Amino acid sequence: MGCPQLLPADRILVPVNVVKPITLRAKNLPQPQSGQRGYECLLTIQGNEHRVPALRFNSSSVQCQNTSYFYDGMEMSSLPVELTVIWNGDFSIDNPAHNKVHLYKCDAQRGSCGLCLKADPLFGCVWCKGENRCTLKQHCSLPENQLLEPNGINSKCTHPRITQINPLRGPREGGTLVTIRGENLGLDFREIQGNVKVAEVDCTPIREGYIPAEQIVCEMGRAEMSQYTGNVQVCVGVGACRPEFMAKSSKYYYFVIPRITRLKPSRGPVSGGTIVNITGSHLDAGSNVSVMFKDQPCTYLRRGGQWLTCRTHASPHGYGNISVSVSIDKAQLQKDLQFEYVEDPTITKIEPEWSIYSGHTPVTVTGTNLDIIQTPLIRAKYNNHETLNLCEVLSSTSMLCQVPELPISLARQQEAPEKPDEFGFKLDDVQSLMALNTTNFIYYPNPEFEPLSSSGVLELKPGSPIILKGRNFLPPTNTGNGKLNYTVMIGDKPCMLTVSETQLLCESPNLTGRHKVLARVGGIEFSPGVVHITSDSPLSSTAIIGIAAAGALLIFFIVVVLIAYKRKSRESDLTLKRLQMQMDNLESRVALECKEAFAELQTDIHELTSDLDGAGIPFLDYRTYTMRVLFPGIEEHPVLRDLEVPGYRQEQVEKGLKLFGQLINNKIFLLCFIRTLEAQRGFSMRDRGNVASLIMTVLQSKLEYATDVLKHLLSDLIDRNLESKNHPKLLLRR
């Protein structure tokens, strides 16, 4: 007798919560003897084992008895489950075909009629119309005419719906691939073929992009100049379209006119690799964009509404200017754009030709055409590992680079200089400079620092120098000891350094207390410890007693001064009151004398005209007189000149001034505006005069309104003076 095993079976489909037996074909199944246990089916569902009694019909058939199964979650419409047939409690029947039981739920991931009916017909799922759910036929309580079956006579889903359109804009020339997603969008390509319109323009469905019930991809036809926008319409079915099979989108599709204006940069190396940015309008419309440099494509990268970028290839035509064209779908964008391919950059000198393992030391690179590279990188390769670092272009002939680290394992404690396998530059797609043969660039071991002390804390007196010990502080270059740019920080303050082969002498700044020491060089940052700077002269007990006595004496002196100040303040108040009374009397007398003197100075107008001897009365024109009164001493005030703003801001500034003029004519705003200005502490009397003059300039044509505002302000002034109990006569000075 051969080995017992299960034979390959078709897909075993079992709906959840439905009692159903599982029959399996097999061979060489043994007959249980007396005292032996029978057969069982073991199903592992989401990590849980389910044992089901099984019945052996004969040596070639076994059946898992009637049982229902279930799995958690609605994220999976079907779940493959491992199936094992066990004999006599612990003997597993071989399953070389790896037969599995597929549990499934009709309603999982099938929330619409179309998704329900496109399910595998073997599932037996139907769409229960009245209940709007996908279920097994026996679970739909409605009559036959209220359920839809796959491939049945009545298997056409009504009420298709469009949920998403992409893109929403495209050129009138057509060729745009519009992706329409939704529900119930037909179960066969023939049902939507010729039945799609986008903004009243025929859109031809593409079979490869069609996903039954879910997605339609169609290619736009050409639109007329009179067509601007519209929604998407899909009719599902063959023949005349009935309303219940028509879908219209809520979003609109727009026809736009993409334009290009310029490209930047306009030059690049002949080897290519330049990222070119083309600006314009509506450049994100349509589904496909292509950029051609003469007859060669520029690799498209990304785009937005007003820009698109692409990467140039090596020029097959050599140096010189070439024309650049852009097309979006079937629209050819017309603009005379030119790009110049120039000679690839060259490197003639690197100075200095050394660094340390950690890199990040500056080198000056000399060459030609370096300014045509957008992001120049310096590279080193060692043991098939590559490192890069940035360069800064200074001019077309020089740039400053930070040397990349040497990709070497520092755990090896290298003590000898190392040359990289490759050293060069990554300049766009220029391959000739990736590995320079003309350079002898060498890497020296990193400087190594020793701890300041065994405890990590170094005790110092103020002004004492800090000595950092170590090795490799001065790399032994061919031209003598190379200089590295060290920075040593004591706390947050740098110190002056003197460097030797094994020591860094740091002139400590004027500090006391505990401060962390931090040393930086190249790509290395190391803290050798903490310095504790303590004063050399602690106070004696005699000094402390003296300081206390001096403090007590100072406090006594301050108390005496305060008492004397209080008395003096009272005397000053009495003197101030007497002076106030004298000033009031003086003001009254002066006012009376001024009144009498003014009356005496009045002259008869006839005497004045006779003295003029026919020359006429001298007067100024109204504009000059007003400007001298409102803005004394200013010959050319800005209010007399035209508005001087750049052209692109002219319209905005004029609009803003008009709106502000309307606010000035609002009494509530103007009063609030003036009161707010007067409330500012820095608002001087000169500023008040300037603002008042500007407001009176604006309101000359509305003197009644200006007078009313002045009356309100004068009323406020009187109220404030009465509340603060100022002398009423002070109002005459304002």
Side-chain angles (χ1 to χ4, degrees):
M1 184 175 177
C3 180
Q5 62 177 264
L6 300 177
L7 297 177
D10 295 334
R11 251 193 332 163
I12 305 170
L13 300 176
V14 178
V16 298
N17 294 330
V18 173
V19 176
K20 184 177 179 180
I22 301 173
T23 303
L24 300 168
R25 293 187 306 111
K27 66 179 182 180
N28 306 325
L29 293 179
Q31 174 69 42
Q33 303 299 317
S34 61
Q36 292 181 335
R37 294 172 58 182
Y39 285 86
E40 290 179 299
C41 292
L42 177 63
L43 285 82
T44 306
I45 304 175
Q46 294 177 328
N48 298 319
E49 292 186 350
H50 295 262
R51 286 180 177 262
V52 179
L55 180 63
R56 175 185 179 274
F57 292 138
N58 50 46
S59 65
S60 61
S61 179
V62 65
Q63 185 182 76
C64 308
Q65 294 301 289
N66 279 340
T67 310
S68 65
Y69 308 94
F70 183 78
Y71 64 89
D72 293 328
M74 300 292 286
E75 298 81 17
M76 297 176 290
S77 59
S78 66
L79 177 68
V81 173
E82 296 288 344
L83 172 64
T84 306
V85 177
I86 299 175
W87 170 62
N88 195 20
D90 54 0
F91 293 101
S92 298
I93 305 298
D94 284 346
N95 185 9
H98 300 290
N99 293 323
K100 292 187 177 183
V101 174
H102 294 266
L103 304 181
Y104 68 91
K105 298 177 181 179
C106 281
D107 54 344
Q109 303 295 313
R110 298 186 184 95
S112 67
C113 173
L115 292 175
C116 183
L117 298 189
K118 70 179 280 191
D120 192 325
L122 296 176
F123 286 176
C125 298
V126 299
W127 181 253
C128 202
K129 289 175 67 176
E131 299 175 2
N132 281 333
R133 66 189 181 97
C134 190
T135 184
L136 294 171
K137 188 174 183 179
Q138 60 266 33
H139 291 166
C140 183
S141 59
L142 299 173
E144 288 279 340
N145 62 356
Q146 287 296 308
L147 56 87
L148 302 179
E149 300 181 60
N151 303 321
I153 300 174
N154 185 21
S155 63
K156 193 173 179 183
C157 296
T158 58
H159 303 99
R161 190 164 71 93
I162 297 172
T163 58
Q164 186 180 352
I165 308 163
N166 185 50
L168 286 171
R169 297 182 299 161
R172 280 196 173 87
E173 289 81 357
T176 304
L177 296 180
V178 179
T179 301
I180 304 164
R181 295 192 60 82
E183 298 175 356
N184 305 332
L185 299 178
L187 296 176
D188 189 270
F189 184 72
R190 291 175 300 170
E191 293 183 328
I192 52 96
Q193 196 169 15
N195 291 341
V196 182
K197 282 195 172 186
V198 177
E200 302 300 326
V201 174
D202 287 334
C203 195
T204 305
I206 298 172
R207 187 180 294 273
E208 291 75 17
Y210 179 62
I211 301 175
E214 297 181 65
Q215 175 178 292
I216 300 170
V217 178
C218 62
E219 182 176 344
M220 289 292 294
R222 186 179 184 86
E224 302 299 329
M225 290 301 293
S226 59
Q227 292 173 303
Y228 293 95
T229 185
N231 53 20
V232 176
Q233 299 180 14
V234 176
C235 187
V236 180
V238 180
C241 183
R242 287 156 51 190
E244 62 267 29
F245 297 111
M246 170 68 78
K248 287 188 178 181
S249 66
S250 58
K251 290 187 177 180
Y252 280 71
Y253 182 90
Y254 295 87
F255 293 110
V256 295
I257 303 175
R259 290 189 173 89
I260 53 177
T261 54
R262 56 178 297 201
L263 84 165
K264 185 179 180 181
S266 58
R267 299 193 312 151
V270 73
S271 293
T274 306
I275 305 297
V276 177
N277 185 57
I278 300 174
T279 56
S281 58
H282 299 302
L283 297 181
D284 58 346
S287 58
N288 182 54
V289 60
S290 65
V291 182
M292 299 295 292
F293 278 46
K294 199 172 182 180
D295 52 2
Q296 186 181 39
C298 181
T299 303
Y300 164 74
L301 297 177
R302 54 190 178 275
R303 58 176 174 159
Q306 297 180 330
W307 55 271
L308 66 86
T309 59
C310 67
R311 187 183 183 92
T312 63
H313 294 274
S315 170
H317 311 291
Y319 314 132
N321 288 310
I322 59 168
S323 60
V324 178
S325 62
V326 179
S327 62
I328 294 180
D329 298 332
K330 291 185 178 180
Q332 300 291 327
L333 311 189
Q334 300 299 323
K335 183 71 176 179
D336 295 330
L337 298 182
Q338 297 282 323
F339 183 84
E340 183 184 5
Y341 278 112
V342 299
E343 188 176 354
D344 285 343
T346 62
I347 303 295
T348 57
K349 184 179 180 183
I350 302 174
E351 189 178 16
E353 286 189 309
W354 62 268
S355 184
I356 54 178
Y357 291 160
S358 64
H360 292 82
T361 61
V363 293
T364 302
V365 180
T366 307
T368 60
N369 288 343
L370 299 177
D371 58 336
I372 64 172
I373 304 301
Q374 294 164 305
T375 309
L377 300 171
I378 186 170
R379 68 183 289 270
K381 190 174 182 180
Y382 189 82
N383 285 343
N384 292 321
H385 292 284
E386 181 184 52
T387 53
L388 300 168
N389 218 338
L390 287 173
C391 295
E392 179 188 0
V393 176
L394 304 177
S395 67
S396 63
T397 57
S398 68
M399 60 184 179
L400 184 65
C401 299
Q402 296 291 321
V403 177
E405 65 177 322
L406 187 69
I408 188 171
S409 173
L410 300 181
R412 290 165 53 190
Q413 296 294 330
Q414 290 283 107
E415 290 297 330
E418 286 284 342
K419 283 191 175 183
D421 299 335
E422 291 182 10
F423 189 85
F425 296 85
K426 196 170 184 179
L427 307 179
D428 292 346
D429 287 347
V430 179
Q431 299 299 314
S432 60
L433 300 179
M434 291 285 283
L436 295 177
N437 298 323
T438 58
T439 182
N440 295 313
F441 204 90
I442 191 168
Y443 282 86
Y444 292 103
N446 285 332
E448 295 180 16
F449 294 88
E450 297 176 3
L452 288 173
S453 67
S454 57
S455 64
V457 179
L458 180 64
E459 300 286 344
L460 287 178
K461 303 300 180 186
S464 300
I466 301 171
I467 299 175
L468 303 182
K469 295 182 180 180
R471 56 182 176 173
N472 302 330
F473 289 163
L474 292 175
T477 64
N478 295 334
T479 57
N481 286 333
K483 291 185 178 180
L484 289 170
N485 186 17
Y486 289 90
T487 301
V488 176
M489 304 292 291
I490 311 298
D492 57 355
K493 290 189 177 181
C495 65
M496 298 291 293
L497 289 173
T498 303
V499 184
S500 67
E501 172 65 27
T502 58
Q503 287 186 350
L504 294 182
L505 182 64
C506 171
E507 299 292 336
S508 64
N510 188 18
L511 294 171
T512 57
R514 296 172 71 92
H515 300 281
K516 181 180 179 181
V517 179
L518 191 66
R520 298 192 189 100
V521 58
I524 302 171
E525 187 171 278
F526 180 76
S527 176
V530 174
V531 292
H532 185 203
I533 305 173
T534 55
S535 176
D536 197 20
S537 56
L539 293 175
S540 62
S541 57
T542 307
I544 294 173
I545 294 172
I547 291 173
L553 188 63
L554 180 62
I555 292 171
F556 175 78
F557 178 77
I558 291 172
V559 171
V560 172
V561 169
L562 288 175
I563 294 172
Y565 175 80
K566 186 69 175 177
R567 289 184 178 178
K568 192 68 176 176
S569 178
R570 287 179 182 175
E571 293 176 4
S572 298
D573 288 342
L574 294 174
T575 304
L576 184 62
K577 289 181 179 178
R578 288 197 300 271
L579 289 174
Q580 187 70 46
M581 293 176 63
Q582 292 174 6
M583 285 178 65
D584 291 345
N585 294 333
L586 181 61
E587 280 185 359
S588 299
R589 289 200 299 272
V590 169
L592 182 61
E593 290 175 5
C594 288
K595 198 171 183 180
E596 292 172 355
F598 181 78
E600 292 173 1
L601 290 173
Q602 287 182 335
T603 0
D604 190 359
I605 192 62
H606 297 294
E607 295 176 2
L608 179 61
T609 52
S610 64
D611 291 340
L612 292 175
D613 295 329
I617 300 174
F619 67 92
L620 298 172
D621 62 279
Y622 178 76
R623 176 170 171 168
T624 306
Y625 171 77
T626 306
M627 292 306 296
R628 289 190 180 181
V629 170
L630 295 179
F631 307 105
I634 302 176
E635 292 296 329
E636 285 294 326
H637 196 275
V639 299
L640 299 176
R641 298 196 298 269
D642 291 333
L643 191 62
E644 295 180 0
V645 293
Y648 67 92
R649 291 180 51 209
Q650 182 85 23
E651 183 178 352
Q652 295 178 357
V653 174
E654 288 181 356
K655 183 178 179 181
L657 289 175
K658 287 179 181 177
L659 293 173
F660 185 68
Q662 293 175 7
L663 289 173
I664 290 293
N665 289 312
N666 184 304
K667 182 176 170 183
I668 296 174
F669 171 81
L670 183 56
L671 290 172
C672 183
F673 177 64
I674 294 172
R675 289 165 182 159
T676 303
L677 288 176
E678 289 185 341
Q680 308 303 309
R681 289 193 175 186
F683 195 61
S684 64
M685 292 303 293
R686 181 185 294 275
D687 297 334
R688 293 174 189 233
N690 286 336
V691 172
S693 297
L694 290 170
I695 293 175
M696 287 306 299
T697 304
V698 174
L699 299 179
Q700 283 191 80
S701 61
K702 296 185 177 181
L703 289 179
E704 289 185 5
Y705 169 69
T707 304
D708 189 29
V709 171
L710 286 173
K711 285 165 63 178
H712 272 84
L713 294 174
L714 186 59
S715 175
D716 288 351
L717 183 61
I718 293 171
D719 291 341
R720 285 202 303 272
N721 277 275
L722 291 176
E723 287 172 3
S724 61
K725 297 182 181 179
N726 285 340
H727 200 278
K729 290 185 180 180
L730 292 177
L731 285 172
L732 300 174
R733 299 179 184 176
R734 298 173 186 265

